[in-house]
Amino acid sequence: MHEAADVSVDAMIEDLRTLVEVESPSRDLDALTESARTVAEVIERRLGGRAALVASEAGPHVHWSGGGDPRVLILGHHDTVFPLGTLERRPFKVEDGRATGPGVFDMLGGLVQAVHGLAALDDRSGVEILVTADEEVGSRSSRALIEERARACGAVLVFEGAAEGGALKTGRKGCGTFEVVVAGRASHAGLEPEAGVNALVEAAHQVLDIAALGRPDIGTTVTPTVASAGTSDNVVPAAATVVVDVRVESAEEKDRVETAFAALTPHLEGAELTVRGSVGRPPMPESAAAELFAMAERLLPGVGSAAVGGGSDGNFTAAIGVPTLDGLGAVGGGAHADHEYVLVDAMAERAQLVTGLVRAIRDARA
């Protein structure tokens, strides 16, 4: 790393502890409000200025600007997948070179690194930070704001956790969830099963049809994940529901899969289908990261790159044509799991990468 910025790992650990110890499960508005205030306080303490809370139905988003013409957006989220009470069972700690606790890797460690990397800049003009409250549940309330600020800034750095081995994320699949609801007709399973329309049998047909939509050879996965049906063991079920996870690598596959779901038809006479959902996060093509990754390679020779299956808010910014580089957050692993961790020894280097990238982006757009 050239001209390494002066950052304090101890100070980063202090801020990481502060953020982790304010639990922030998605959709818990009270918890997210407290979390947003804490994120804003950390930003203001380290960077100065004022971090505004942007109200939404999903909880407050946090927005900070360093002033001047916007040139780079630092993008993250403060909601986590862990329910209230997780912290009591799995408190924040640093041991054997790892920081652990709910949300450390996804993605509070990345937020801390971003803030401390920016703090090492004498001039913070042209930089904006947006920390949203609903990334883990689809970013429905924040998407318009994310896209607005991305267009205004012209470059986006996303602080989701790094890929395996510390690689930056230069491509992501588009992802979405579909729900197929089957309406049948109940009847007595012993006395007159023929009088019913078995929603469970119809759902079984649909699961096979849906699974056949996958094209793993070109990166398209269509995976039925949750199913429910029936009310009693002696009643022909009148209703069933199938939930499906979809991942695609191209806009063409997004369109194909969405069209196929819309075209699903019942197999049983009298059954009816209702299909909801879409590929809500469009694919992030690797071309969107090319310019910014080249800058990162010059700053941190040997840093790897990876295209991954999961989605992030970087999918939205890349899809509207704004250069986007993801995976700039913590080096570690175990996202969404009890063994989630951050490698402490990598935190300073990644914060310094933030400093260098912001300088490079501003110079390139001067």
Side-chain angles (χ1 to χ4, degrees), residues 293-358:
F293 181 70
M295 292 179 183
E297 273 192 310
R298 288 193 290 272
L299 292 162
L300 189 60
V303 67
S305 66
V308 298
S312 82
D313 287 336
N315 290 59
F316 297 135
T317 62
I320 60 173
V322 178
T324 300
L325 182 60
D326 203 338
L328 285 158
V331 178
H336 298 189
D338 281 354
H339 66 280
E340 184 180 22
Y341 68 95
V342 168
L343 294 178
V344 173
D345 285 350
M347 293 182 72
E349 183 177 72
R350 289 305 165 105
Q352 291 159 357
L353 180 58
V354 178
T355 310
L357 274 172
V358 170

Side-chain angles (χ1 to χ4, degrees), residues 175-181 210 222-226 241-247 254 257-262 264 275-280:
C175 52
T177 302
F178 290 81
E179 182 182 60
V180 179
V181 179
I210 290 165
V222 180
T223 310
T225 55
V226 180
T241 302
V242 178
V243 180
V244 188
D245 178 274
V246 172
R247 311 278 164 151
K254 172 185 182 295
V257 172
E258 288 180 340
T259 299
F261 268 94
L264 291 174
V275 179
R276 307 185 185 99
S278 65
V279 179

Side-chain angles (χ1 to χ4, degrees), residues 11 38 47 75 171 177 182 192 206 214 232 259 312 363:
T38 304
L47 301 180
L75 184 57
T177 302
V182 181
E192 48 178 0
Q206 294 301 323
S232 178
T259 299
S312 82
D363 289 348

Side-chain angles (χ1 to χ4, degrees), residues 162-322:
E164 186 175 353
L168 304 182
K169 295 174 180 176
T170 52
R172 285 185 177 274
K173 288 186 178 183
C175 52
T177 302
F178 290 81
E179 182 182 60
V180 179
V181 179
V182 181
R185 184 171 60 249
S187 66
H188 195 293
L191 295 178
E192 48 178 0
E194 70 284 351
V197 177
N198 195 315
L200 177 55
V201 172
E202 179 61 49
H205 284 292
Q206 294 301 323
V207 164
L208 296 176
D209 290 348
I210 290 165
L213 298 175
R215 290 281 308 280
D217 56 311
I218 57 172
T220 300
T221 59
V222 180
T223 310
T225 55
V226 180
S228 61
T231 56
S232 178
D233 60 2
N234 63 352
V235 177
V236 171
T241 302
V242 178
V243 180
V244 188
D245 178 274
V246 172
R247 311 278 164 151
V248 298
E249 288 187 359
S250 68
E252 293 77 14
E253 278 296 278
K254 172 185 182 295
D255 292 342
R256 180 186 71 82
V257 172
E258 288 180 340
T259 299
F261 268 94
L264 291 174
T265 56
H267 287 252
L268 303 183
E269 185 177 351
E272 297 179 356
L273 302 181
T274 301
V275 179
R276 307 185 185 99
S278 65
V279 179
R281 291 186 192 273
M284 174 182 164
E286 293 189 69
S287 58
E291 175 191 3
L292 299 179
F293 181 70
M295 292 179 183
E297 273 192 310
R298 288 193 290 272
L299 292 162
L300 189 60
V303 67
S305 66
V308 298
S312 82
D313 287 336
N315 290 59
F316 297 135
T317 62
I320 60 173
V322 178

Side-chain angles (χ1 to χ4, degrees), residues 83-101:
L84 290 180
T86 303
L87 185 67
E88 182 177 358
R89 176 173 58 83
R90 192 158 56 87
F92 178 82
K93 64 180 180 180
V94 179
E95 190 173 83
D96 298 327
R98 295 185 174 196
T100 56

